[in-house]
Amino acid sequence: LSRPNNEPSAVKILRIKVLSGSCLPKPYGESAGEVIDPYVVMRVYDVEKSKKMRSTVTTQSTPTEYGHNDMLEVTDHKTSSVRDNGFCPQWDDEEYFSFTVNSQVAMVEITVADSNRGFIDEIMCKTAVPVSCLRQGLRSVQFYDQCSSQHGPFGMARILLDVDINYVM
């Protein structure tokens, strides 16, 4: 995407909808065990320049000290879990996750976890994509294991997203 009027600091409104997944692995790449109940967590990490350090915490954004005059802002959203379907889960959520992106170094982290009722949820796979590399439309995103590799059960793990990017003037 090219920036409107070649403005290097254009603010983007990033909207992402999780549609489906395929071949999602079990935690730690195990081959046996119960069927997973996957859900997706989308998290955007963004550096926001500010003249005055803020220490406010809101429900979806948590500014954290990053540098002398920079703030690391983290915004996250979570889908509902799909019961007993790790092979080809489909999320019926109608709304898009909306993020405001202020910098060119923002990253989107996408994590798939297994919902365990009454227990700690286990992370199955994750990936990170720079916002500057995202393109509008339907996008297939591949995943990696804890060692950042794609072999074995992680070789075919994918998720399908609908990405919408708008510039704010």
Side-chain angles (χ1 to χ4, degrees):
L1 288 172
S2 61
R3 289 183 185 81
N5 301 327
N6 293 325
E7 293 181 25
S9 61
V11 175
K12 299 176 191 173
I13 303 296
L14 179 65
R15 296 176 56 228
I16 301 176
K17 182 177 180 180
V18 180
L19 300 174
S20 67
S22 73
C23 301
L24 297 178
K26 294 181 181 194
Y28 310 109
E30 297 172 354
S31 59
E34 67 179 46
V35 179
I36 60 173
D37 304 324
Y39 66 89
V40 178
V41 177
M42 292 235 174
R43 189 169 286 131
V44 171
Y45 297 92
D46 193 9
V47 176
E48 180 182 311
K49 299 267 185 196
S50 99
K51 295 180 181 180
K52 184 175 168 184
M53 297 297 285
R54 296 181 309 177
S55 60
T56 59
V57 176
T58 62
T59 55
Q60 291 184 349
S61 297
T62 307
T64 309
E65 284 189 38
Y66 182 73
H68 186 297
N69 287 329
D70 296 340
M71 302 287 285
L72 176 63
E73 188 169 340
V74 181
T75 309
D76 60 352
H77 294 285
K78 176 182 164 184
T79 66
S80 56
S81 63
V82 176
R83 293 269 304 144
D84 296 332
N85 189 351
F87 184 69
C88 188
Q90 295 182 354
W91 285 272
D92 295 327
D93 300 337
E94 290 297 320
E95 63 185 67
Y96 283 75
F97 296 151
S98 185
F99 304 97
T100 302
V101 181
N102 299 307
S103 70
Q104 296 176 2
V105 295
M107 296 284 288
V108 177
E109 179 187 62
I110 304 167
T111 304
V112 178
D114 182 17
S115 177
N116 290 323
R117 293 183 186 170
F119 298 100
I120 297 174
D121 294 350
E122 295 178 286
I123 293 176
M124 297 183 305
C125 52
K126 66 170 57 176
T127 192
V129 179
V131 171
S132 61
C133 293
L134 283 176
R135 299 295 177 250
Q136 198 156 310
L138 296 176
R139 298 289 172 234
S140 176
V141 178
Q142 57 190 7
F143 285 100
Y144 300 89
D145 64 3
Q146 291 89 349
C147 299
S148 298
S149 66
Q150 276 194 304
H151 68 282
F154 297 91
M156 297 300 293
R158 303 278 190 271
I159 196 165
L160 184 64
L161 306 174
D162 187 7
V163 178
D164 182 36
I165 302 171
N166 294 311
Y167 290 92
V168 178
M169 296 294 179

